[in-house]
Every structure is written in C-alpha cells, then in structure tokens.
Amino acid sequence: MGRIAGSSGARTAASIRRAGLRLIYRRGFEAMSLRELAAEVGIQAASLYNHIRTKQDLLFDLIREHMERLLAHTDLALAAAPAGAEDRLRAFVASHVTYHLERKHEVFVANFELRALDPRHFAAIVALRRAYEEKLVAVLDLGVARGEFRIGDTRITAYAILAMLTGACTWYKPEGRLTKQEVVALHTGLVMHGCLGLAPTEGRSGTGLAALSRDS
C-alpha cells in the first residue's frame, strides 16, 4: 500500500487500526509485526509510534472499541423497544446478530485474540463483556419475574444464547442463500421458542415451528 498523501494524524491513526484489524484477522496477533503493519499503512515503521505505543495497546484498543460500540448499539436497540420482556429480547437478538454479521473481523479478533492481552487489558475487556452479558441477563430475569419466560437459570441461558447468536458470523456469507434479515428472524425464533418454554408442537404468539419455518 502506498503512502497516504497529506493524511492527518486522525486519518493515519484510523488507517493503522483498520490495517491492524485486517492483519490480525489474517495472520494472528503474534505473527503480525509492526514493520508489516507500517508497510500495510504506507508509513515508516518508526512513525507508528506517533499513533500507538505498543502492539499490545493496538490490540486492546481494537477489542475495547468493538465492545464499546456493541454496548452502545444494544443500548439504542433496547431503549427503542417496548417495555415487555418478549419485545426487549427480540430487540436484543436482532441487535446482536445484525451487529456481528456486519463485523466479522472485529468479532473474530475480540474472541480469539482475547488471550493475547496482558492481565490489565484482559481484565478491562472482561469487565466490558460482563456488562454486555448483564444486559441480556436482565431481560431474561424480567421475563421470568413477569411469568413471560420459562427459564431455570437465566445466566446460563444468557451464555447459551450469546454463543449461538455470535456463532452466526462464522458461517454467514452475504452471497449465501439467506439474507441478514432472514438470519435474524431464524435466530429470533429459536431464542423465543426456547425462552417461552414451548414444546415442539406448541405455538404461541407466532413463535412455534410453523412461524420458524416462515421466518427462515
């Protein structure tokens, strides 16, 4: 990549983050060198230190930025949803799946390179992840308290839901047979079906197997 002519400090810093994300996704954090990163951006290796202190700091900033954007995206979705637990859960699922399908590289780096963070940075990211998990747990707790959901353990259910929803970005392809909207609808049906505690042949509020078939 050629040098970015006339780029400002902010533009160069943004280019470094984008290039770092691509390289970490393709090669892994440990394999990526700062010299390689500088060449990708089109600047001298020494110039990187005008924008990042260390490779470790770059990784932390990428994951932190991902988590902060995810939290903000979810807050907006939940704020726009009606007060009922079912509506809030639908909003959470749609927000999570949509965000993750559109940010495959960020999701991969945040999940698989978390182990590469030093203890201080690791603790900071784990705190953000827990804050995000708590948003879903709160929705599930609300549904149980109001008798809307039939869940034995809301925290374990939240972990299972998040694992399923996040997994969609590992197989989804924009050119595939399902649109993003169809993927969201399918996962929404699966989550609601489980939380409402329906038997395989039951249906409620359009969330039975027939509705799942229509959604997907």
Side-chain angles (χ1 to χ4, degrees):
M1 180 183 294
R3 179 181 295 275
I4 304 169
S7 61
S8 66
R11 284 182 57 204
T12 302
S15 296
I16 291 170
R17 289 195 298 274
R18 288 194 298 270
L21 182 68
R22 289 194 303 271
L23 289 172
I24 294 171
Y25 176 78
R26 292 201 305 257
R27 295 176 47 75
F29 175 73
E30 293 298 336
M32 184 198 75
S33 70
L34 291 182
R35 185 175 298 278
E36 181 181 20
L37 175 59
E40 183 80 3
V41 178
I43 60 177
Q44 296 296 317
S47 298
L48 282 175
Y49 296 103
N50 293 325
H51 306 281
I52 62 172
R53 290 182 296 177
T54 65
K55 191 170 78 162
Q56 170 72 205
D57 285 337
L58 172 63
L59 177 63
F60 172 67
D61 286 343
L62 289 172
I63 300 178
R64 176 184 52 78
E65 185 176 81
H66 162 71
M67 286 305 307
E68 289 177 347
R69 286 180 176 176
L70 175 60
L71 284 160
H73 191 270
T74 302
D75 285 341
L76 287 175
L78 292 176
E86 288 191 38
D87 288 322
R88 292 179 67 77
L89 183 54
R90 291 178 186 276
F92 183 96
V93 172
S95 173
H96 185 98
V97 175
T98 301
Y99 183 93
H100 283 69
L101 292 186
E102 294 174 350
R103 296 167 177 83
K104 182 174 182 178
H105 291 184
E106 289 90 333
V107 174
F108 180 91
V109 170
N111 286 325
F112 290 97
E113 296 294 352
L114 183 64
R115 61 192 175 185
L117 292 174
D118 63 30
R120 178 173 61 89
H121 287 151
F122 181 86
I125 297 302
V126 168
L128 290 174
R129 288 166 67 103
R130 286 177 178 164
Y132 184 70
E133 292 163 359
E134 289 300 326
K135 294 182 184 297
L136 177 55
V137 172
V139 173
L140 298 179
D141 284 341
L142 176 65
V144 171
R146 292 184 175 182
E148 296 180 47
F149 299 155
R150 294 164 61 184
I151 299 172
D153 188 312
T154 56
R155 186 164 298 278
I156 298 303
T157 300
Y159 294 157
I161 289 173
L162 290 172
M164 179 180 71
L165 300 183
T166 303
C169 74
T170 65
W171 55 260
Y172 171 76
K173 295 181 180 179
E175 67 275 14
R177 64 183 179 85
L178 295 178
T179 66
K180 282 188 290 188
Q181 293 75 18
E182 288 171 330
V183 174
V184 168
L186 175 61
H187 283 77
T188 299
L190 290 169
V191 170
M192 299 308 299
H193 191 82
C195 290
L196 293 172
L198 303 181
T201 57
E202 291 181 314
R204 174 181 170 187
S205 302
T207 56
L209 291 184
L212 282 178
S213 178
R214 290 196 299 271
D215 287 342
S216 60

